[in-house]
Amino acid sequence: MRVVFMKSRFGVPLCVCVMAALALILPSAQAQEMSFTLIEQLVIGNDENASAEYLFTFPELARTDSKGYIYVHDRRRADVRVFDESGQYVTTIGKRGKGPGEMREIVSMHVDDRDRLIVADRDSRRFTIFSDLGAQFETKAFAVDLRGVPHPILSLENSFVLKYVRRYDDPEQLLPYIADTKTLHHYDMALNPSEAFAELGEIFNLDESFEKARIVSRDALKMATNGIDKIVLVPMVYSGSVYRYTHEGGSWVMEKLKGGPVPKESYMSVSDKKFKANPELQSFSISNSGPSGLHRARIFNWSRGVVILSSGETVNFTMQTPLRGDLGHRTELFDQAGVLLGYGSLRFDDQRLNRNLDIMSEIDILWIDGDDRLYLRRLNQHGFYVLSVAKLVIGRP
């Protein structure tokens, strides 16, 4: 399906029930079973006896530059650590504070093709652009109407794209309301906004209270780009549709790609009473606050990240968490035309990792570099978060 985003909208009606969530919608006949194997080349933060520079609480953001340096933002910190290709600590950029070159709450970061580190600080309401590994910097205030959280920031050809939901504050100081129905915002190289696109109603069912509350969450959408003219969006609560936007003739054209086997329903709304009384519902449940209150749901199908390979193919990493049955990873591969080529389980080449349920349930894909190396967050055998660098090997029929 291929439409211009300004002229079409898509709603996804949901009828949620436990039994339906266990049923599968099968993909088209041409898609085949494949294997997806992560071969780890580097793990940073795995030695609990290492110095503090190497340890993480929760590595939230990762990027790389043209020299192979790895930039990592750790949640609860107001700086960015830099490591070389071998995982050796190089330097720390920024520090906590309100002054020049300082941050208080980092909500997004990105390294552009000039090796500039761009950091978005929500509390200071500004971007700080570092160059020469932090030796120089400049600042740029957020756009006046930017009330959402810009996450992530990605590069396009001579521009940037930010994903955020613009909001305005209720005069009575209740919960924030949505002021703009678009989620992608195009910026020039000086970080000035130029246009907005990607209608929320194309991606989410805004008649569902849980989904409407979810759209302002930082992780509501997984996002990737080829760095030129294509952007892929996948809802974290994944129902089998991948949304691809291509810049053609001055317009952004949206395609809705059909994914692989998914539960018939991606989530089940859960009341407070049921949540407290049923441990099975508590596992893999998430909560969102919206203008109409707190909305909680048990998630059956997740996207844990999406990337575009140098070949132009798209890989969506999903995880299924049924109420009963084993957790399962169902990775999907789409060709350059957006057709599903195949799907299959995600595994490490190290069987010790595959046998650890805690490790396999906490995999999140954070970044892909120009050599198709994946940067992912996972737990180690001691329950600490680490940053893993891995090659993805796809076993094709």
Side-chain angles (χ1 to χ4, degrees):
M1 181 177 296
R2 186 177 178 87
V3 298
V4 177
F5 79 95
M6 290 296 293
K7 296 183 178 179
S8 295
R9 297 187 179 185
F10 297 86
V12 184
L14 296 175
C15 178
V16 180
C17 65
V18 175
M19 294 306 294
L22 302 180
L24 294 180
I25 299 175
L26 297 178
S28 56
Q30 66 265 30
Q32 302 182 57
E33 281 279 354
M34 295 181 175
S35 64
F36 297 84
T37 305
L38 292 169
I39 301 177
E40 286 192 317
Q41 300 178 333
L42 176 67
V43 180
I44 305 175
N46 206 30
D47 182 3
E48 60 188 81
N49 296 317
S51 58
E53 291 89 350
Y54 291 89
L55 301 178
F56 302 114
T57 299
F58 188 82
E60 189 169 37
L61 304 167
R63 291 290 190 271
T64 54
D65 68 12
S66 65
K67 301 179 182 66
Y69 286 148
I70 304 167
Y71 298 70
V72 185
H73 167 61
D74 193 19
R75 185 179 289 180
R76 301 181 184 176
R77 291 177 63 112
D79 56 31
V80 176
R81 276 177 275 175
V82 183
F83 303 86
D84 66 17
E85 285 185 300
S86 65
Q88 295 300 305
Y89 170 77
V90 175
T91 189
T92 297
I93 300 176
K95 63 179 180 178
R96 186 174 298 279
K98 299 181 180 180
E102 298 175 345
M103 284 82 68
R104 298 180 64 192
E105 185 182 1
I106 295 175
V107 291
S108 191
M109 76 167 191
H110 182 62
V111 179
D112 68 9
D113 57 7
R114 303 178 190 174
D115 287 346
R116 300 184 304 170
L117 171 65
I118 301 167
V119 179
D121 179 13
R122 175 160 53 186
D123 280 5
S124 299
R125 295 190 50 74
R126 68 187 180 199
F127 301 102
T128 301
I129 304 99
F130 295 95
S131 55
D132 298 330
L133 292 177
Q136 302 179 57
F137 65 86
E138 57 182 308
T139 60
K140 173 78 174 182
F142 284 176
V144 174
D145 58 358
L146 177 55
R147 291 292 184 270
V149 176
H151 177 80
I153 303 168
L154 294 174
S155 291
L156 295 175
E157 190 171 32
N158 299 317
S159 62
F160 300 103
V161 62
L162 281 64
K163 189 274 290 181
Y164 71 88
V165 178
R166 191 179 308 178
R167 301 181 294 181
Y168 65 88
D169 295 326
D170 180 20
E172 298 180 1
Q173 297 186 353
L174 300 176
L175 294 171
Y177 288 81
I178 300 167
D180 194 327
T181 59
K182 300 176 179 65
T183 189
L184 295 182
H185 299 259
H186 205 178
Y187 277 55
D188 64 20
M189 292 300 290
L191 289 170
N192 298 308
S194 59
E195 65 174 327
F197 60 103
E199 290 283 344
L200 290 168
E202 295 174 340
I203 303 167
F204 298 97
N205 180 3
L206 300 183
D207 293 328
E208 287 286 336
S209 298
F210 170 75
E211 291 192 53
K212 190 169 185 178
R214 183 76 191 146
I215 60 178
V216 299
S217 301
R218 290 171 61 180
D219 63 349
L221 285 169
K222 304 298 182 179
M223 179 173 165
T225 175
N226 66 352
I228 303 173
D229 62 351
K230 283 186 170 53
I231 299 165
V232 173
L233 294 179
V234 184
M236 187 272 283
V237 183
Y238 180 56
S239 60
S241 294
V242 173
Y243 301 85
R244 187 170 71 175
Y245 296 82
T246 303
H247 199 249
E248 295 180 356
S251 299
W252 286 96
V253 178
M254 190 273 279
E255 300 166 90
K256 188 176 181 181
L257 313 182
K258 181 177 175 58
V262 297
K264 186 175 181 181
E265 306 299 345
S266 55
Y267 70 88
M268 178 183 69
S269 296
V270 179
S271 67
D272 284 343
K273 182 178 180 180
K274 288 182 178 180
F275 180 80
K276 293 175 182 178
N278 191 336
E280 287 185 327
L281 291 180
Q282 296 172 21
S283 178
F284 297 106
S285 290
I286 58 177
S287 301
N288 299 297
S289 294
S292 56
L294 179 70
H295 306 280
R296 180 181 286 115
R298 171 61 160 79
I299 311 303
F300 298 110
N301 204 41
W302 312 64
S303 173
R304 305 317 296 255
V306 61
V307 300
I308 299 179
L309 302 176
S310 57
S311 63
E313 296 171 314
T314 298
V315 185
N316 181 32
F317 299 87
T318 76
M319 181 178 73
Q320 295 177 5
T321 56
L323 278 179
R324 295 177 179 84
D326 295 333
L327 173 149
H329 289 269
R330 301 292 294 180
T331 304
E332 303 171 342
L333 177 68
F334 299 84
D335 67 13
Q336 295 183 49
V339 176
L340 181 69
L341 293 177
Y343 52 86
S345 298
L346 180 68
R347 294 288 184 266
F348 288 94
D349 62 329
D350 186 341
Q351 294 302 318
R352 293 172 298 177
L353 300 179
N354 297 328
R355 290 192 292 266
N356 190 316
L357 182 61
D358 291 334
I359 290 175
M360 297 305 293
S361 65
E362 290 286 341
I363 298 172
D364 283 285
I365 310 300
L366 304 179
W367 182 243
I368 185 171
D369 66 19
D371 294 318
D372 286 351
R373 285 185 293 258
L374 298 177
Y375 296 75
L376 56 105
R377 177 180 57 239
R378 68 167 178 84
L379 289 173
N380 67 6
Q381 64 272 24
H382 304 296
F384 298 109
Y385 283 104
V386 299
L387 182 75
S388 166
V389 183
K391 289 292 289 185
L392 178 67
V393 176
I394 303 175
R396 303 171 187 256

